[in-house]
Amino acid sequence: MTINCKGKLIDLSTPKVMGILNVTPDSFFDGGRYKDETSIIKQVENMLSEGATFIDVGAYSSRPNAPFVSEDEELQRIVPIIKLLVSHFPDSIISVDTFRSQVAKVTINEGAAMINDISAGFLDNNMLPTIADLKVPYIMMHMRGTPQTMQTLTQYDNLVKAINYYFSERIVKARDLGIIDLILDPGFGFAKTLEQNFELLNKFELLNIADLPVLAGISRKSMIYKTLDLTAKEALNGTTALHMIALQKGAKILRVHDVKEAKECITLYNKLDA
């Protein structure tokens, strides 16, 4: 189970960590924290030294009811960051969190290695053809609607069945276009209630369709801090607890705010799995 990132083969049979770098002013946990070159470089340096395999950079907050950001503004935010990271960390594997094909094209041409799309191509009809042309790994997430509308679209007859049906259609379309490296993200918190998020985690192993790696993005999310009556800032312990469950149920990538703790979780999991 490998993916090709700029000629570097990454073996996902052993779980890996994807560190989150939000360069938005309004992300739910770290919005506005990384707004100058020094703080950005320091944070990425920390995440890489703590064991992150991927750095996922986003310039459009996808939290529920997040404000709309134009394509021009997204590009203005993210392109300088990609250039900065490529120059300082040339061997790093940079993922770009975007649902826009033009942002994907520009950032890959600037040195990013993969695209993480919350909409699996549904919010931009040019995304899948663009990924096929760029020949980069593609993370496709399950969501309904947009960040502005998704929390009104949480009615499912069978949640996991609906997600797998969604992915099966997306996989066929991607394969028909020649996209090779696919990663599935079931989208915790995206068009799902708190209870549905726990149902999804409880049945996470059922997402292992087509023998593709599955990513778990649960770091500090509301399913944790609302259940425990905490804030996102206080949700690290709960995050780690759920990360172990995700790993035991087959997660191959943990997308996280806290790399050191996620890496420790994987190390302990590997001992169980040995």
Side-chain angles (χ1 to χ4, degrees):
M1 193 178 278
T2 60
I3 58 171
N4 187 336
C5 298
K6 293 167 67 174
K8 185 186 293 184
L9 290 178
I10 306 299
D11 180 8
L12 296 179
S13 58
T14 300
K16 301 293 188 287
V17 174
M18 173 177 278
I20 300 168
L21 179 73
N22 284 316
V23 291
T24 57
D26 57 345
S27 286
F28 78 94
F29 172 61
D30 52 3
R33 191 180 297 184
Y34 309 113
K35 49 191 169 185
D36 61 77
E37 289 192 4
T38 302
S39 62
I40 289 167
I41 290 169
K42 186 167 186 255
Q43 174 63 3
V44 172
E45 194 170 57
N46 286 342
M47 289 195 290
L48 291 172
S49 68
E50 288 174 352
T53 299
F54 312 99
I55 302 295
D56 193 43
V57 185
Y60 185 132
S61 176
S62 54
R63 63 178 173 78
N65 303 310
F68 178 82
V69 174
S70 71
E71 184 175 291
D72 283 347
E73 185 173 353
E74 186 180 356
L75 282 166
Q76 285 170 15
R77 286 179 182 177
I78 201 165
V79 171
I81 307 302
I82 301 303
K83 289 181 174 179
L84 179 71
L85 298 185
V86 169
S87 66
H88 276 80
F89 310 102
D91 296 328
S92 64
I93 300 172
I94 300 168
S95 165
V96 173
D97 183 353
T98 186
F99 56 80
R100 291 174 167 138
S101 59
Q102 186 60 23
V103 176
K105 186 176 181 180
V106 171
T107 53
I108 292 296
N109 287 337
E110 290 291 350
M114 60 197 293
I115 297 298
N116 179 11
D117 179 2
I118 60 169
S119 80
F122 276 115
L123 293 179
D124 184 338
N125 289 332
N126 290 322
M127 180 60 97
L128 291 179
T130 298
I131 297 297
D133 288 342
L134 294 170
K135 294 179 171 54
V136 293
Y138 182 57
I139 302 169
M140 49 170 65
M141 195 186 82
H142 173 269
M143 180 179 71
R144 286 173 164 179
T146 68
Q148 292 77 28
T149 64
M150 63 186 179
Q151 291 312 100
T152 66
L153 302 169
T154 59
Q155 301 301 314
Y156 301 89
D157 291 331
N158 182 311
L159 177 65
V160 175
K161 192 174 180 181
I163 292 171
N164 277 338
Y165 181 83
Y166 170 102
F167 280 138
S168 64
E169 185 272 335
R170 293 282 91 188
I171 292 165
V172 168
K173 185 152 190 172
R175 294 291 193 225
D176 285 348
L177 289 166
I179 300 173
I180 296 169
D181 292 328
L182 294 171
I183 296 160
L184 309 181
D185 177 354
F188 286 96
F190 289 80
K192 296 165 192 77
T193 64
L194 190 146
E195 291 78 15
Q196 286 168 342
N197 286 321
F198 280 98
E199 178 188 352
L200 178 57
L201 181 59
N202 195 38
K203 298 176 179 176
F204 196 87
E205 70 276 10
L206 300 180
L207 300 168
N208 187 22
I209 61 173
D211 199 31
L212 292 175
V214 184
L215 177 151
I218 51 182
S219 178
R220 296 183 181 268
K221 284 189 172 175
S222 62
M223 65 182 288
I224 298 165
Y225 65 78
K226 286 184 178 177
T227 299
L228 298 175
D229 194 22
L230 302 170
T231 64
K233 188 177 180 182
E234 299 168 303
L236 175 56
N237 186 51
T239 296
T240 302
L242 296 192
H243 274 161
M244 182 59 84
I245 293 167
L247 291 168
Q248 289 180 315
K249 289 178 173 286
K252 297 303 181 187
I253 299 175
L254 300 179
R255 183 179 180 273
V256 307
H257 299 90
D258 309 278
V259 171
K260 178 176 176 285
E261 290 80 359
K263 190 74 175 170
E264 288 174 353
C265 195
I266 289 172
T267 299
L268 294 172
Y269 163 76
N270 286 339
K271 284 291 186 184
L272 291 173
D273 201 40

